[in-house]
DNA sequence: CCGTATCCAGCTCGATACTG
DNA sequence: CAGTATCGAGCTGGATACGG
């Protein structure tokens, strides 16, 4: 019985914690990188583009902590470390993709709205200043 | 032609901006509050529970700026201000719900994984200290 | 190769008090 | 009623250098 034990609107609702993991700056990117199977640290770092090693480690650890990603260390020289989505992580892929696709589809419109908004509030400011 | 002009993996990809709006601390809560139609500032504040007026205003303005929410001021005494989802905002409801439902369904498992992880890393720390 | 250590800038969130 | 002003604490993200 795992369905609906929590409600987002509750004060300290656990699902809010989960939502914030998802909304994390790098989480969607990492999920994209891991979509096709296990990847090495360096591969992820290149794919994600621009993330510092510290921050990438932080994000991956957080994901591992939540049981969404596994971390496997191979005792070779040089060391090889592979990350992969768990079953739970895979199950998140679908709803996450829904949001990502929406975002990709509407990003242009949103950025345009943002520009228009900034421009009009800029004009308003000029009026009060004058 | 509004589909797929952007890719999340790009360095300064606009859809990342959108994803982060969605991942914002209060956005999902506000969307829940606005789901059933227009709401007044005070109503939203009560529904969302625990948000300070300043932060709620910030979040609502950001959503308005992105064209996801409208803000309507009624010249009454006392003033009434109503917020509502735009068509664009409504269209986000579905993918957002998908994530929210996933989060509500798996929050318990994730929090358990988190506890287990913290406990085992605590034991590891005790070993190195000893 | 895969990280950690250090240090720091900037932003987010918040409490509180006050105004049109 | 619906905000804004102010101040501040804390966290996030980042550059850089070094360690196992």
């Amino acid at each position: 019985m795992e369905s609906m034990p929590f409600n987002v609107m509750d004060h300290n609702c656990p699902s809010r914690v989960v939502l914030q993991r998802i909304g994390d700056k790098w989480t969607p990117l990492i999920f994209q990188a891991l979509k096709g199977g296990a990847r090495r640290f360096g591969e992820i770092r290149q794919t994600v583009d621009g993330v510092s090693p510290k921050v990438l480690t932080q994000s991956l650890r957080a994901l591992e902590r939540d049981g969404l990603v596994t971390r496997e260390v191979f005792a070779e020289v040089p060391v090889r470390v592979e990350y992969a989505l768990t079953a739970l992580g895979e199950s998140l892929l679908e709803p996450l993709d829904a949001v990502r696709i929406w975002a990709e589809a509407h990003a242009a419109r949103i950025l345009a709205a943002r520009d228009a908004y900034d421009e009009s509030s800029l004009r308003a400011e000029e009026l009060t200043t004058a």
Side-chain angles (χ1 to χ4, degrees), chain A:
Chain A
M1 228 240 301
E2 201 174 8
S3 68
M4 304 288 184
F6 300 115
N7 179 327
V8 236
M9 302 308 292
D10 290 352
H11 185 51
N12 273 326
C13 170
S15 50
R16 287 183 57 181
V17 179
V18 178
L19 282 172
Q20 279 171 250
R21 275 253 65 58
I22 291 168
D24 181 275
K25 184 168 186 181
W26 301 107
T27 298
L29 291 294
I30 293 173
F31 267 77
Q32 276 302 104
L34 260 38
K35 205 172 180 174
R39 293 282 177 275
R40 305 181 57 165
F41 185 86
E43 291 177 315
I44 301 173
R45 197 180 166 189
Q46 284 167 11
T47 309
V48 169
D49 177 38
V51 66
S52 74
K54 195 198 78 171
V55 173
L56 182 56
T57 300
Q58 278 176 2
S59 306
L60 285 168
R61 287 285 142 81
L63 260 18
E64 190 197 0
R65 190 170 97 112
D66 289 350
L68 297 169
V69 157
T70 57
R71 174 175 183 269
E72 194 172 2
V73 184
F74 297 87
E76 306 171 352
V77 186
V79 190
R80 184 168 103 249
V81 181
E82 285 193 351
Y83 295 88
L85 294 176
T86 62
L88 189 59
E90 299 265 7
S91 77
L92 178 52
L93 228 36
E94 193 179 331
L96 200 56
D97 267 2
V99 177
R100 203 200 74 249
I101 288 168
W102 188 95
E104 289 179 352
H106 298 94
R109 205 214 275 208
I110 288 182
L111 291 181
R114 204 173 272 196
D115 285 347
Y117 186 96
D118 290 349
E119 224 176 280
S120 68
S121 57
L122 187 63
R123 271 199 299 277
E125 202 176 330
E126 280 166 5
L127 285 177
T128 53
T129 311

